[in-house]
């Protein structure tokens, strides 16, 4: 009888442990917005893919967490951290405003805004952007830049590709978006649009980082250490050459 009880107790305890899951087997729910190639997009298999997705999966492996990707609207990501999702990776620029709500990992990629113009357009400097209707993805740094351009109106889209489609259709005068997606779209719509470097317009460098819950230093330290390790062991550079046309 005593043996049976000890046995039952052992079974109950191990089931309990399994149910709670040690922090090692816990899912890491990662928010992204799969509309931002080459960092995140829907792959041929219908699942989110891209540099950021591969990077966060590699980080998950290093820290022993199973990565589950949630594809959300970009503008909802910051507010979803700590409720719907644990962290967000979405080519997200570190900004002072976002830092009021979330913490950021160490930066992993340098970016800058580019201006996509119709092929043959004479737009070439900041003064040319004044008073224009400018396509942007809602809630992005491109969207915030338009607020500071005299007389310009932001035409906001949930999906960056819809902004570029409207540029091709003549519904907006140009599109402001990060360098790498701008290059991808310029390639995709070759002959119709051209992507101009932000340096021509005086745009500042931006830095992508993983957004995390405020004050979770344990998670932050783990993610930052994993990022460092992936840079040292060559995985990071391998992913850059696999996904990003630099
Ligand atoms: N880097 C820009 C931002 O953080 C755009 C990101 C995106 O559209 N995924 O606002």
């Amino acid at each position: 009888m005593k043996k049976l009880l000890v046995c039952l107790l052992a079974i109950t305890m191990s089931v309990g442990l399994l149910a709670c899951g040690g922090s090692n087997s816990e899912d890491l729910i990662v928010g992204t917005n799969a509309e931002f190639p080459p960092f995140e997009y829907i792959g041929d298999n219908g699942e989110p893919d891209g540099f950021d997705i591969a990077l966060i999966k590699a980080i998950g492996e290093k820290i022993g967490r199973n990565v589950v990707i949630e594809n959300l609207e970009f503008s909802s990501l910051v507010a979803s951290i700590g409720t719907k999702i644990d962290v967000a990776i979405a080519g997200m620029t570190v900004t002072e405003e976002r830092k009021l709500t979330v913490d950021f990992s160490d930066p992993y990629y340098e970016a800058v805004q580019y201006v996509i113009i119709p092929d043959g357009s004479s737009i070439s400097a900041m003064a040319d952007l004044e008073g224009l209707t400018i396509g942007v993805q809602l809630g992005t740094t491109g969207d915030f830049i338009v607020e500071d351009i005299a007389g310009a109106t932001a035409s906001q889209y949930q999906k960056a590709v819809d902004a570029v489609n409207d540029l091709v259709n003549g519904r907006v005068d140009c599109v402001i978006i990060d360098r790498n997606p701008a290059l991808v779209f310029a390639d995709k719509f070759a002959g119709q649009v051209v992507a101009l470097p932000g340096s021509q317009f005086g745009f500042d460098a931006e830095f992508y980082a993983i957004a995390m819950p405020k004050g979770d230093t344990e998670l932050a330290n783990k993610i930052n250490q994993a990022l460092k390790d992936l840079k040292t062991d060559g995985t990071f550079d391998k992913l850059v050459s696999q996904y990003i046309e630099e």
Side-chain angles (χ1 to χ4, degrees):
M1 185 63 185
K2 202 169 165 199
K3 250 191 191 161
L4 183 72
L5 272 179
V6 170
C7 222
L8 274 177
L9 191 68
I11 291 172
T12 318
M13 276 172 68
S14 45
V15 168
L17 275 177
L18 274 179
C20 296
S23 66
N24 276 355
S25 59
E26 215 183 304
D27 285 345
L28 182 69
I29 315 291
V30 178
T32 194
N33 173 245
E35 300 292 343
F36 196 68
F39 293 95
E40 38 270 326
Y41 51 86
I42 298 294
D44 294 336
N45 62 356
E47 296 295 322
D49 193 6
F51 176 83
D52 282 347
I53 309 301
L55 179 63
I56 198 69
K57 283 183 179 164
I59 290 174
E61 235 165 74
K62 288 263 183 221
I63 68 173
R65 301 275 300 264
N66 175 48
V67 167
V68 177
I69 304 289
E70 287 283 340
N71 188 17
L72 304 171
E73 282 171 358
F74 183 82
S75 54
S76 76
L77 287 173
V78 166
S80 302
I81 291 171
T83 53
K84 245 190 205 167
I85 55 178
D86 296 319
V87 301
I89 190 162
M92 190 182 286
T93 302
V94 177
T95 68
E96 291 309 313
E97 199 199 346
R98 289 172 183 158
K99 269 161 67 177
L100 297 174
T101 318
V102 292
D103 284 346
F104 282 101
S105 70
D106 292 337
Y108 61 85
Y109 198 82
E110 183 177 335
V112 67
Q113 297 300 305
Y114 262 41
V115 181
I116 310 181
I117 55 168
D119 195 15
S121 155
S122 61
I123 295 172
S124 67
M126 186 49 121
D128 302 327
L129 300 178
E130 292 178 3
L132 297 189
T133 302
I134 303 179
V136 295
Q137 196 180 2
L138 177 69
T140 60
T141 42
D143 190 1
F144 306 147
I145 278 182
V146 174
E147 287 172 17
D148 294 333
I149 302 176
T153 313
S155 206
Q156 299 163 315
Y157 298 82
Q158 286 295 354
K159 298 182 181 188
V161 70
D162 290 342
V164 184
N165 272 320
D166 270 4
L167 177 65
V168 171
N169 298 332
R171 290 202 191 93
V172 298
D173 300 311
C174 65
V175 170
I176 297 187
I177 190 168
D178 302 46
R179 174 180 183 269
N180 299 90
L183 294 176
V184 170
F185 290 128
D187 217 36
K188 193 170 166 192
F189 295 85
Q192 296 174 289
V193 305
V194 174
L196 302 178
S199 52
Q200 256 176 254
F201 301 84
F203 298 152
D204 293 332
E206 300 184 11
F207 296 91
Y208 295 166
I210 298 161
M212 307 175 296
K214 228 177 173 23
D216 191 344
T217 46
E218 197 188 327
L219 181 64
N221 289 340
K222 282 186 185 167
I223 288 180
N224 284 334
Q225 187 58 50
L227 261 175
K228 275 198 194 97
D229 292 346
L230 291 167
K231 285 194 174 162
T232 325
D233 71 14
T235 308
F236 187 89
D237 286 344
K238 209 184 84 199
L239 294 180
V240 168
S241 48
Q242 186 179 337
Y243 286 99
I244 306 177
E245 192 188 308
E246 293 220 281

